[in-house]
Amino acid sequence: MPASSRSRGVTTAAALVAALAVLPLVVVGVQASAGGPGTAIDFLFRPRVGELLVHTGQLIAVTVPATIAVGTLAAWLVERTDLPGAGWWRTLLLAPLAVPAFVSAYAWISLAPAMTGFLGAALVTTLAYFPFVFLPVAALLRVLDGTEEEAARSLGLGPLAATRRTVLPRLRPAISGGALLVALHLLAEFGVLEMMRFQTFTTAIMQQYAVGFSDTAGSLLASVLALLCLLVLTVEVVARGHRRVARVGAGAHRGAESVPLGPWKVPALLSLAVLVALALVVPLVMIARWLLVGTEAVAGEDLLRVALTTVGLALLGGLLTTLLALPGAWLLNRGRSALSLVLERVTFVASALPGVVVALALVTLTVRWARPLYQTVGLLVLAYAILFLPRAMVSLRSGLAAAPPELTEAARSLGARGPEAFVRVVLPQAAPSVLTGFVLVALAIGTELTATLLLAPTGAETLALAFWSASSELDYAAAAPYAAVMVALSVPLTLLLRRQILEER
Amino acid sequence: MSDIRISDVSVGYGATTVLDRVDLSVRAGSTTAVLGGSGSGKTTLLRVIAGFLRPTSGQVEIAGRTVAGNGTWVPPERRGVGYVRQEGGLFPHLSVAGNIAFGLPWPRRRHRNRVLELLDLVELPAHLADRRPDQLSGGQQQRVALARALAPGPDLVLLDEPFSSLDTALRSSTREATSRALRATGATSILVTHDQGEALSFADEVAILRGGTFRQVAAPRVIYGEPVDALVAAFLGDAVLLPGTASAGAVHCVLGDLPVRGFVTHGDVEVMLRPEQIVLTAPGAGQLDAVVRSVAYFGHDAVVELDLEAEVAVGEPPHGVRARVAGAQPPSAGERVGLAVVGPARVYPAR
């Protein structure tokens, strides 16, 4: 029957994509265990590995709580108090997302060269990553309406106690989700930590690779890194809990009354201003300064060529990622089945894999089995697709959810066949979200550094690569134009995310 | 003509059976209301007929064509069955006109005449054609959904609780407009609802679905006046159920000896009266006397709960005898009244 063969096609496609998404994990695991348990134990139980573990742990232990505190407090000030200019603050607090973390590290290190080491790493990552917490918490604070707070007040609680006991518990999933993102980014971070000369697993793997490609050593480190990522993922699942946070019962949505800040207004404004100055103004001013210092450092046509290469890769990668995410997203929206459950878990796990692990796995595979593919555009784009598949999936799913099965059924009972119903009903509904997903992925690719360093074809230069080679040679002036273009290209990202907060309902 | 025949249809998910060997025939051009509580399987039945769900067994025949069963399966788009749901389900990206024309063949989609004709049929003004669905009220959305379903000229229209999300005033006007539109097109329709008044007033036939099977399928008057068992009686309308003893054409219960219609047996029975069969009189003027325990006042009428003096005298627990009286002058609590029974009672074997 045509209907079932069609859905079988979609199912097969989704299963293949899921296999592709876990491929890096499998390759790294197999590679790491190839030397036998003895080699693995000898390698892993060295002081060096212990030191990497301590470094990584230290960074997570400081940056994650710091981003939670800064992000949540800022979100509460913007969304729930009578802070003047809340709309402007919302934009300014999301804007650091447009500055790639390694660009902001470059700004700080060129401002204060002595800032290397743990403190510099923690400061820069906190400033670069707090929007990951700010974004979901602010979005949720807008959705939660004030009725529960009012109920708590009428039961005799003061305003602070009411917030603590009704709002804070319900923010848990948003805070926990944001913190997960911060932790995973810390595990995957290469650029910032390399600049700050602070060694973690990712930087160690990259160095191992640069020194000489050793399958086993690299894969052993990578598999520890992957395990750490999975551990973080598990911790988050437990921390998030599964209590109901949505409002119970029907009735029109009503916004919450804003809390008057009173005498705290000036301190609140000042601390937000300091935050924005550190996270946004310092990087932008430093880029501008270096642009002015070295106007002749980069030829215009070089910049244009590199920018075009980057845009081309971003569009290609965005397209492939969106296409690959489509069957899975469609299947997941069709309700529960064994495969959709597996698919959901796989995407979830894949979302935790750092770029370095994915890239290393693809390098290993192609060097071993498909030499001609090594360092080709195709392989690079495939790595991007594996890396950003979960991101595309989120947008696609929400887009397809905008066209619930009832609408497809209505179309079919009006005589439209399956594909026709998809084109006339589902696609028009889903188009904005599909486009958003595509843009998000393309923008992420535009500033991707780690996987690109490992996989880019010889001679091909992206903005991130060009910036990286210039700044590694301490030629800050030559790096500035590339940084400026990356920031400029990332502005739409910030605007998209801002809209996401505003429209969340 | 487009008779609908459903025979022996079962639907189950794993161990649970939702529909259990259901039979239903709908005469061409008529309206059948399927009345059932939540979870009775009424929406499942509609989904089987529309082709969104395959029955585990059984056959569905629409206009003489088997669409499910006997190894055939006709997909929903080729069944010619219109479907209107509770929330309308209009396509949010299309205008009213776009929605109505959706099911028309491509060349006719552009012609506005058919759209305007259908708007007129469902009694909506022509200027709504260019509105977006979110600019319409709930009642207007339902009417557009009906127009959309009727546009391709279906053999059968399925209505899945289409009025239940509307408020009372809007509900009756939308229901009447729907009824007129269906009659004007001569379409056969099946309405699923949990609202008894809606089922009785809207349909030519009412089918009571309980626990996955039809308990009774009959014309509204028959089903209200002669329910097949006490469950149906209590489910459809209000029923006073009393224990009694039957003998040769009459039944004895706490209200005295009552004439019986239909099924007659001997021995212990359950006696069913509609509350409007119990009429209040001046004390001593009726068959027996009672004291008003409470009154539920609805404006157009009132339901009076009664304690029979015969019961009180022997200290028996009250049987819950209720009378439905016109709203103009209901008695007040504590008042003594007489009562009389009008018309025959129905009896069922004691449970």
Side-chain angles (χ1 to χ4, degrees):
Chain A
M1 237 158 292
S4 68
S5 77
R6 191 169 51 239
S7 66
R8 204 172 305 135
V10 174
T11 309
T12 315
L16 283 176
V17 173
L20 192 66
V22 283
L23 184 69
L25 206 56
V26 174
V27 172
V28 165
V30 167
Q31 207 53 38
S33 55
T39 329
I41 288 170
D42 284 351
F43 181 82
L44 291 178
F45 285 82
R46 286 183 311 172
R48 162 122 173 86
V49 174
E51 185 191 286
L52 292 178
L53 209 54
V54 169
H55 275 187
T56 310
Q58 276 177 328
L59 196 61
I60 288 182
V62 170
T63 300
V64 170
T67 53
I68 290 179
V70 172
T72 309
L73 198 63
W76 184 74
L77 283 174
V78 168
E79 301 295 342
R80 278 293 164 99
T81 68
D82 62 347
L83 187 81
W88 286 100
W89 286 115
R90 188 183 300 123
T91 310
L92 287 174
L93 289 166
L94 283 173
L97 286 177
V99 183
F102 55 86
V103 170
S104 133
Y106 143 92
W108 279 98
I109 209 99
S110 63
L111 176 72
M115 229 182 69
T116 52
F118 175 68
L119 279 181
L123 177 74
V124 170
T125 50
T126 303
L127 290 175
Y129 293 157
F130 82 84
F132 290 145
V133 177
F134 175 81
L135 177 73
V137 173
L140 189 57
L141 278 174
R142 280 182 77 83
V143 184
L144 294 181
D145 68 4
T147 48
E148 288 83 357
E149 265 167 294
E150 282 167 11
R153 293 293 295 277
S154 70
L155 290 170
L157 269 61
L160 278 181
T163 302
R164 188 171 57 78
R165 286 179 55 190
T166 64
V167 177
L168 217 50
R170 293 191 298 164
L171 290 182
R172 203 160 94 165
I175 292 177
S176 155
L180 170 74
L181 222 56
V182 173
L184 290 175
H185 271 79
L186 287 175
L187 287 171
E189 183 59 60
F190 166 69
V192 172
L193 305 178
E194 182 70 18
M195 271 186 188
M196 291 294 167
R197 316 226 174 283
F198 187 70
Q199 286 271 307
T200 62
F201 277 99
T202 301
T203 59
I205 295 169
M206 293 296 279
Q207 279 164 12
Q208 186 86 42
Y209 183 81
V211 171
F213 182 58
S214 146
D215 269 3
T216 325
S219 294
L220 278 168
L221 286 176
S223 55
V224 176
L225 179 60
L227 278 180
L228 285 178
C229 291
L230 297 183
L231 182 72
V232 166
L233 207 60
T234 320
V235 169
E236 198 269 338
V237 169
V238 174
R240 180 178 43 192
H242 35 233
R243 275 183 299 172
R244 190 187 169 92
V245 287
R247 40 185 287 151
V248 180
H253 173 91
R254 212 162 44 74
E257 300 290 327
S258 50
V259 176
L261 284 171
W264 291 96
K265 196 169 279 181
V266 173
L269 281 172
L270 272 180
S271 29
L272 287 187
V274 169
L275 183 62
V276 170
L278 295 181
L280 191 65
V281 178
V282 166
L284 293 185
V285 166
M286 287 312 288
I287 293 173
R289 197 196 129 197
W290 287 114
L291 275 178
L292 293 177
V293 168
T295 33
E296 300 91 43
V298 177
E301 59 255 39
D302 271 356
L303 187 62
L304 187 66
R305 181 177 49 78
V306 170
L308 285 180
T309 310
T310 310
V311 169
L313 279 175
L315 294 181
L316 211 58
L319 199 65
L320 181 69
T321 314
T322 310
L323 284 178
L324 288 182
L326 202 56
W330 192 76
L331 213 60
L332 280 173
N333 275 35
R334 296 269 98 175
R336 304 253 128 220
S337 70
L339 179 73
S340 75
L341 206 68
V342 170
L343 206 66
E344 198 161 31
R345 300 277 153 82
V346 162
T347 328
F348 185 58
V349 168
S351 69
L353 287 186
V356 69
V357 172
V358 171
L360 199 66
L362 289 182
V363 168
T364 309
L365 267 188
T366 48
V367 166
R368 277 288 185 79
W369 310 106
R371 191 80 212 198
L373 287 179
Y374 179 57
Q375 291 196 327
T376 56
V377 170
L379 192 69
L380 181 60
V381 170
L382 186 68
Y384 289 149
I386 294 177
L387 214 48
F388 299 124
L389 195 64
R391 219 174 276 206
M393 202 83 132
V394 172
S395 296
L396 282 188
R397 282 185 70 181
S398 72
L400 293 180
E406 290 83 58
L407 290 186
T408 314
E409 285 184 2
R412 293 196 70 190
S413 69
L414 290 168
R417 299 184 29 167
E420 191 193 340
F422 185 80
V423 171
R424 288 180 63 194
V425 175
V426 179
L427 225 48
Q429 299 293 314
S433 298
V434 173
L435 200 65
T436 307
F438 171 78
V439 171
L440 284 179
V441 170
L443 291 171
I445 292 175
T447 56
E448 211 285 337
L449 176 63
T450 326
T452 315
L453 272 174
L454 292 188
L455 289 171
T458 332
E461 256 195 324
T462 69
L463 290 167
L465 289 184
F467 167 85
W468 188 249
S469 62
S471 62
S472 321
E473 288 157 18
L474 304 184
D475 191 349
Y476 295 141
Y482 300 110
V485 176
M486 274 191 282
V487 171
L489 285 180
S490 302
V491 169
L493 171 82
T494 317
L495 296 180
L496 266 178
L497 293 174
R498 184 171 149 272
R499 212 186 58 184
Q500 216 166 313
I501 300 191
L502 293 176
E503 287 183 355
E504 188 102 24
R505 269 292 141 108
Chain B
M1 277 303 275
S2 52
D3 280 356
I4 315 299
R5 220 179 308 279
I6 292 155
S7 25
D8 218 18
V9 163
S10 296
V11 174
Y13 304 99
T16 45
T17 307
V18 182
L19 290 179
D20 189 12
R21 312 193 64 167
V22 167
D23 292 302
L24 182 68
S25 293
V26 178
R27 200 164 27 81
S30 75
T31 298
T32 293
V34 174
L35 185 62
S38 55
S40 60
K42 42 191 202 308
T43 295
T44 304
L45 180 71
L46 285 199
R47 294 178 62 77
V48 167
I49 300 171
F52 299 127
L53 192 68
R54 281 168 197 257
T56 331
S57 65
Q59 268 194 66
V60 179
E61 207 179 281
I62 299 173
R65 182 170 65 128
T66 302
V67 294
N70 277 345
T72 44
W73 175 256
V74 177
E77 63 267 23
R78 297 217 310 270
R79 288 195 179 192
V81 174
Y83 196 9
V84 180
R85 328 173 152 261
Q86 188 176 344
E87 302 287 352
L90 296 181
F91 303 121
H93 61 296
L94 296 177
S95 66
V96 165
N99 266 284
I100 294 177
F102 190 94
L104 297 176
W106 165 244
R108 288 174 59 204
R109 252 178 245 163
R110 308 222 154 200
H111 292 302
R112 224 161 153 80
N113 295 350
R114 180 74 179 138
V115 169
L116 295 179
E117 212 176 286
L118 282 153
L119 277 175
D120 188 50
L121 181 68
V122 296
E123 299 168 22
L124 285 177
H127 68 82
L128 290 186
D130 297 314
R131 294 274 179 90
R132 296 174 55 85
D134 56 8
Q135 295 171 316
L136 302 182
S137 72
Q140 290 172 333
Q141 288 186 22
Q142 285 309 109
R143 292 184 193 206
V144 173
L146 178 69
R148 181 178 73 175
L150 288 174
D155 291 320
L156 170 66
V157 179
L158 304 175
L159 305 158
D160 190 357
E161 306 212 24
F163 315 117
S164 64
S165 60
L166 307 177
D167 59 44
T168 323
L170 207 53
R171 190 182 299 186
S172 58
S173 62
T174 310
R175 186 163 56 210
E176 279 149 28
T178 302
S179 179
R180 282 192 291 270
L182 287 172
R183 287 192 205 294
T185 53
T188 313
S189 57
I190 298 179
L191 166 79
V192 147
T193 179
H194 63 261
D195 180 327
Q196 316 164 1
E198 189 166 296
L200 292 173
S201 64
F202 190 81
D204 303 311
E205 296 260 288
V206 175
I208 309 281
L209 190 61
R210 273 183 77 99
T213 55
F214 283 117
R215 291 304 184 97
Q216 189 172 10
V217 182
R221 273 161 208 258
V222 176
I223 217 156
Y224 187 76
E226 300 160 32
V228 288
D229 57 32
L231 277 176
V232 171
F235 181 66
L236 190 91
D238 198 2
V240 175
L241 293 167
L242 303 166
T245 323
S247 57
V251 63
H252 179 77
C253 67
V254 72
L255 293 176
D257 288 323
L258 303 175
V260 168
R261 176 163 52 178
F263 171 80
V264 177
T265 182
H266 289 270
D268 288 348
V269 291
E270 197 163 17
V271 181
M272 192 282 285
L273 287 168
R274 296 294 185 188
E276 58 270 24
Q277 285 183 271
I278 296 171
V279 179
L280 300 189
T281 64
Q287 286 152 355
L288 62 168
D289 284 350
V291 175
V292 174
R293 174 151 30 108
S294 62
V295 177
Y297 183 67
F298 298 110
H300 48 75
D301 62 6
V303 172
V304 181
E305 298 273 349
L306 300 163
D307 288 326
L308 304 178
E309 293 196 333
E311 287 172 341
V312 178
V314 294
E316 237 183 294
H319 284 102
V321 173
R322 299 185 292 294
R324 187 180 291 273
V325 300
Q329 290 239 287
S332 39
E335 202 174 316
R336 277 193 70 222
V337 292
L339 56 89
V341 176
V342 179
R346 284 191 66 84
V347 299
Y348 306 108
R351 275 180 290 183

